[in-house]
Amino acid sequence: MDHTEFRVKAKEMVDYIADYLENIRDRRVYPGVQPGYLHKLLPTEAPEKPEKWDDIFKDVDQHIMPGLVHWQSPHMHAYFPALTSYPSIMGDMLSSALNVLCFTWASSPAGTELETIAMNWLGKLLGLPECFLNEKNDSPGGGVIQTTASEATLVSLLAARTRALMELSKLNPELQAAELLGHLICYCSDQAHSSVEKAGLIGLVRMRYIESDEGQSMRGAKLEEAIAADKEKGLVPFWVCATLGTTGSVAFDNLREIGQVCQKHGAWLHVDAAYAGSAFVCPEYRHWLDGVELADSFAFNPSKWLMVNFDCTAMWVKDSTALHRTFNVNPIYLRHENSGKAIDYMVGSQNEDIKKLTLKKINIMNDIDHPKADDNKVDNKFNKNNGVITQIENRNITKVDAVEVSTDVDGNIGKDDDLYDAVGDTKNLHGYNKISHGCGKIIQLEDPNKKELLHWQIPLSRRFRALKLWFVLRNYGVVGIQKHIREGVRLAQKFAALVLADPRFEIPQPSNLGMVAFRLKGDNAFTERLLKRLNARGYIHAVPACFKGIYVIRFTITSQRTTNQDILDDWNEIKIVASEILTDVFGSENGNIAVVKKPRISLKETRELNATFGTSLLLANSPMSPKIVNGTHAAICDYEQVLTSCAQTFAQLKMEPKDSPEMRRRIRGIKMCGKKFSLDSCMDMVQGMMIEQPLPQFEEEREDASNGANTETIEAKIC
């Protein structure tokens, strides 16, 4: 494909994307294919000769689309939202075309700086404390865009593990890092996402699950109890993950209680708000953020509810130094002359006054293997129980990784007197001793003691994700984003009301934000059967959850295109399938639920029971076409208040004629109608009849009068 064909086909692709999203409501949300369907349709080997683009794209419609779950569909209610938007798509298109890698400032200055700016914008939008932002040169905190919330969780755990091992090594120099690792333990709720468990497996640390309360929330007292018990066993708590918006029921851990426990025991507190974090753009939902200033890291997914397409996870840390110590690599090909003047997300940054070093004279130490003996920042309140670590009370340890040494003209070594006692083995150079002589004798070496913005994630290469986030924030604005979030919550509340109005269903847990977890009353098998049949029919798609032995269906508002009618249609689909299942099992669409029919009470009986009951003809009415009341609508009101209101309305009437064709047609229609009509229409008729001189007639009125048309006078009756 050359540039000429690209111009044509790319424009066709944009039209295809726009048509797909605008008409996605018409597609079956869940595919009806079986495993292996695509293997039967496509060749087993790549083509030897180039194929035409039209032939390639024809297979997308014929073979690929039928096997997709359409995540942008308004009938998609499974998992959490995975939204996109037109500004986000355009940002991703441009990012793909530019294809810049933003791992250092030198590799893409605009890409690196835009990420810092966009993360500061987003942090302020969520109401995060200033310590998580990076607006000042001396700020140790800041934000970074990770790929997924799973990666953000792992990054925080590894950083906390490094911090804990460094401190324990200083206190226990006779033990190896591998021995110390076996004593570390971390904590999360039993409702936490599976990615938290995976992070513990990768980090080779023990994980304890704290039992949640009746509202599926982890509380501080339970965490404190577990930590105290583990310390008695000689274990060291080092990391806690609090969840804001659990996967099963969108429950919220008590952040302030957990934060206070973490501070007491010196554990790193990570906040996973993957789904619910987007809601904090609305001030009315920020009460769940109470205590966030006690956290060490915070992460959520704009790729879920904020209309920024996957992948994009926003992560903030209070002190990025912990990340640098964990992912500390700095080969010479990643360094540049502007190091230290801006964030380098994947490489060491240097201040301008870093000393020049001669490679053959460098001595460096690793403080895990060679701790400083005179480190006075470690609290001496440290106990051992049969050689096993049991407690650390103060974690404000200053890390000393390297010593910078220079030589004078005569080759004598000059040293920093405060650090020279920590000089270690010259072989431990983090790879610098592998540099070829062609690179020159003088190189710069990072100083890990300084709070510089160095290494922020696991991969080296980084996509220009900040572009699509920046586009969305600007194109929607704060008001537009808040409106989008609130509409999703409103639609979920509407669905919850429909569920509660049907006696066959129940909502076992309080519903929060844009998700409702509901079920059929009775055995779990009924709800499980309902979900399987709903997904098999393909008109809506949902997934299950289970907490405390209760099987539920998660119904999440996942599309910004969802409307009131979509909710009604989806609920009707659920009711139809539920009726089929209950009829099969019990022989009745109500199952074993006894539905008591409400007795119908006539208007006469109502009046006899309530003397102040009255009916009113106050109904909404458009000025151009008066709507006639059909006698089936009534409003409950106080009889005396109605009369008073009518009297006040008559007193305020302006008797000046309204000489307009629209008003004339309206009054004429009222006169010719023999049914009840709205009170405001009556007022128009009265106004026309009470003026001293009749208004001039229109031509059609003269014709009706000459033909002897009989005009009836309608009285508005108020009972």
Side-chain angles (χ1 to χ4, degrees):
M1 180 181 292
D2 57 16
H3 71 280
T4 303
E5 185 182 6
F6 174 74
R7 290 179 185 274
V8 176
K9 299 305 178 183
K11 292 174 182 177
E12 292 178 359
M13 177 66 79
V14 170
D15 289 337
Y16 181 88
I17 292 172
D19 290 340
Y20 167 77
L21 292 175
E22 291 307 306
N23 300 310
I24 196 171
R25 181 178 281 100
D26 301 329
R27 293 180 180 266
R28 175 183 170 126
V29 62
Y30 194 74
V33 299
Q34 297 298 321
Y37 90 99
L38 197 57
H39 291 275
K40 300 176 182 178
L41 299 175
L42 299 182
T44 57
E45 296 180 358
E48 288 290 336
K49 297 181 180 181
E51 295 186 7
K52 294 181 179 180
W53 175 256
D54 289 341
D55 294 336
I56 298 172
F57 199 71
K58 187 184 300 182
D59 284 347
V60 173
D61 255 339
Q62 294 180 353
H63 303 326
I64 304 301
M65 282 295 178
L68 292 180
V69 174
H70 298 286
W71 283 69
Q72 307 308 309
S73 171
H75 303 298
M76 171 70 174
H77 303 293
Y79 314 108
F80 280 131
L83 296 182
T84 187
S85 60
Y86 292 124
S88 179
I89 292 172
M90 294 173 69
D92 222 20
M93 289 169 59
L94 182 56
S95 175
S96 297
L98 298 174
N99 201 32
V100 296
L101 303 180
C102 309
F103 46 77
T104 68
W105 184 89
S107 70
S108 182
T112 305
E113 293 190 18
L114 183 62
E115 183 164 337
T116 305
I117 293 170
M119 290 300 293
N120 285 337
W121 283 11
L122 190 57
K124 291 179 180 179
L125 186 58
L126 267 61
L128 294 181
E130 187 177 340
C131 59
F132 286 106
L133 306 181
N134 191 270
E135 293 189 304
K136 300 177 181 178
N137 291 332
D138 60 345
S139 173
V144 58
I145 300 178
Q146 307 282 8
T147 56
T148 64
S150 302
E151 184 180 28
T153 299
L154 176 60
V155 166
S156 68
L157 184 143
L158 295 178
R161 187 189 69 173
T162 299
R163 185 178 73 173
L165 289 176
M166 286 170 50
E167 297 169 5
L168 293 176
S169 180
K170 292 177 183 296
L171 297 170
N172 300 266
E174 72 281 1
L175 298 179
Q176 298 295 319
E179 298 177 82
L180 299 174
L181 185 63
H183 296 290
L184 298 182
I185 186 170
C186 52
Y187 306 84
C188 69
S189 165
D190 57 5
Q191 297 298 310
H193 192 264
S194 59
S195 61
V196 180
E197 178 183 6
K198 184 182 291 186
L201 293 175
I202 297 174
L204 301 176
V205 293
R206 305 184 192 190
M207 180 80 68
R208 178 180 291 277
Y209 300 93
I210 307 300
E211 182 182 1
S212 56
D213 63 12
E214 63 280 357
Q216 314 305 313
S217 173
M218 181 169 67
R219 305 300 298 271
K222 282 284 187 180
L223 177 62
E224 172 68 33
E225 180 182 338
I227 289 178
D230 289 336
K231 279 191 170 184
E232 289 295 324
K233 300 174 184 178
L235 300 177
V236 178
F238 77 99
W239 184 82
V240 177
C241 180
T243 305
L244 299 184
T246 60
T247 304
S249 59
V250 191
F252 292 80
D253 293 342
N254 193 303
L255 197 54
R256 180 161 296 281
E257 292 180 1
I258 296 171
Q260 292 172 349
V261 173
C262 289
Q263 279 197 331
K264 176 181 177 181
H265 297 282
W268 179 297
L269 174 57
H270 175 67
V271 179
D272 177 14
Y275 163 68
S278 298
F280 300 144
V281 302
C282 301
E284 62 266 30
Y285 302 126
R286 290 181 190 161
H287 60 277
W288 283 310
L289 271 178
D290 179 43
V292 69
E293 71 278 0
L294 303 176
D296 294 278
S297 55
F298 177 94
F300 89 103
N301 288 347
S303 60
K304 279 188 165 60
W305 205 2
L306 221 57
M307 298 179 289
V308 179
N309 56 294
F310 187 84
D311 54 10
C312 182
T313 292
M315 178 184 183
W316 290 268
V317 290
K318 187 178 292 183
D319 187 355
S320 60
T321 308
L323 303 184
H324 315 160
R325 295 168 178 170
T326 304
F327 310 111
N328 187 2
V329 293
N330 189 20
I332 192 171
Y333 52 79
L334 292 181
R335 277 176 270 145
H336 53 90
E337 63 273 13
N338 288 304
S339 294
K341 298 179 181 178
I343 288 181
D344 277 338
Y345 285 107
M346 286 308 303
V347 68
S349 303
Q350 301 299 321
N351 291 334
E352 295 181 0
D353 58 350
I354 297 259
K355 300 176 182 178
K356 301 291 183 179
L357 303 181
T358 302
L359 183 61
K360 63 179 181 179
K361 298 295 185 180
I362 293 177
N363 288 289
I364 192 170
M365 54 79 70
N366 184 309
D367 63 353
I368 292 182
D369 298 326
H370 305 277
K372 282 185 61 177
D374 60 346
D375 192 337
N376 57 4
K377 293 191 177 182
V378 180
D379 198 314
N380 291 324
K381 296 179 180 179
F382 177 78
N383 301 319
K384 288 186 180 180
N385 182 12
N386 297 326
V388 178
I389 302 162
T390 59
Q391 182 170 295
I392 300 175
E393 297 296 341
N394 191 323
R395 293 185 177 271
N396 295 322
I397 308 298
T398 300
K399 182 178 184 292
V400 180
D401 279 323
V403 177
E404 298 178 351
V405 188
S406 61
T407 59
D408 57 20
V409 177
D410 298 327
N412 298 321
I413 297 178
K415 66 181 188 328
D416 185 325
D417 294 333
D418 295 332
L419 299 177
Y420 192 67
D421 60 338
V423 172
D425 189 356
T426 58
K427 296 181 180 180
N428 190 10
L429 297 177
H430 295 288
Y432 293 111
N433 56 346
K434 300 177 183 179
I435 299 176
S436 67
H437 297 290
C439 294
K441 296 181 179 180
I442 306 299
I443 63 171
Q444 289 185 349
L445 192 63
E446 64 178 328
D447 180 6
N449 281 320
K450 299 178 181 179
K451 293 183 178 180
E452 297 157 344
L453 303 169
L454 311 175
H455 316 283
W456 295 70
Q457 67 175 41
I458 297 173
L460 171 63
S461 300
R462 314 184 75 252
R463 295 183 66 238
F464 194 3
R465 302 185 191 94
L467 198 60
K468 59 187 177 183
L469 176 60
W470 188 54
F471 279 5
V472 170
L473 292 177
R474 293 190 63 184
N475 194 243
Y476 282 91
V478 177
V479 174
I481 294 174
Q482 290 176 340
K483 180 180 178 181
H484 160 69
I485 296 295
R486 288 166 178 154
E487 177 64 7
V489 175
R490 185 192 69 82
L491 291 172
Q493 292 172 347
K494 179 180 181 65
F495 179 79
L498 294 172
V499 174
L500 294 175
D502 193 320
R504 301 174 298 176
F505 293 86
E506 65 180 348
I507 300 176
Q509 289 292 330
S511 300
N512 293 320
L513 299 179
M515 196 196 81
V516 179
F518 72 101
R519 67 190 302 272
L520 276 170
K521 292 180 179 178
D523 195 272
N524 284 339
F526 300 148
T527 304
E528 184 176 3
R529 189 172 174 183
L530 171 63
L531 176 61
K532 289 181 178 179
R533 189 171 296 187
L534 285 171
N535 286 335
R537 287 164 64 97
Y539 300 114
I540 68 173
H541 183 38
V543 293
C546 187
F547 39 85
K548 299 190 183 300
I550 300 176
Y551 187 96
V552 297
I553 299 174
R554 298 170 71 260
F555 187 95
T556 310
I557 307 301
T558 63
S559 173
Q560 66 268 46
R561 294 173 176 82
T562 306
T563 64
N564 284 329
Q565 189 59 48
D566 292 322
I567 296 298
L568 294 175
D569 292 343
D570 293 340
W571 175 239
N572 187 57
E573 170 74 1
I574 293 170
K575 289 196 301 180
I576 290 174
V577 176
S579 296
E580 293 176 355
I581 293 174
L582 294 176
T583 300
D584 292 343
V585 177
F586 298 100
S588 168
E589 66 178 14
N590 293 322
N592 59 349
I593 304 297
V595 179
V596 180
K597 292 185 177 180
K598 297 181 180 179
R600 298 185 64 180
I601 302 176
S602 65
L603 183 59
K604 180 180 179 182
E605 292 175 320
T606 302
R607 289 173 177 170
E608 291 175 353
L609 294 173
N610 189 350
T612 61
F613 177 82
T615 59
S616 170
L617 300 180
L618 291 171
L619 297 176
N621 189 37
S622 63
M624 294 295 99
S625 57
K627 295 181 180 179
I628 305 304
V629 179
N630 60 12
T632 62
H633 297 81
I636 299 176
C637 57
D638 185 83
Y639 185 75
E640 295 181 356
Q641 290 181 354
V642 171
L643 294 179
T644 303
S645 177
C646 288
Q648 292 175 348
T649 302
F650 275 105
Q652 296 173 358
L653 282 177
K654 295 181 180 180
M655 293 298 108
E656 298 83 359
K658 297 180 179 179
D659 190 9
S660 67
E662 293 82 3
M663 184 61 68
R664 283 298 183 177
R665 293 190 185 96
R666 175 172 179 161
I667 296 175
R668 182 167 175 266
I670 293 173
K671 290 179 179 180
M672 296 179 65
C673 181
K675 297 181 180 180
K676 294 182 180 180
F677 45 86
S678 59
L679 187 58
D680 55 347
S681 297
C682 284
M683 295 299 101
D684 292 337
M685 184 186 68
V686 171
Q687 187 177 19
M689 295 175 61
M690 292 182 64
I691 58 175
E692 295 180 357
Q693 296 181 357
L695 293 173
Q697 293 181 320
F698 289 97
E699 187 64 29
E700 61 264 29
E701 292 178 328
R702 295 193 187 100
E703 293 178 359
D704 292 341
S706 64
N707 293 332
N710 182 22
T711 304
E712 296 182 3
T713 303
I714 308 301
E715 297 180 357
K717 296 180 180 180
I718 302 178
C719 301

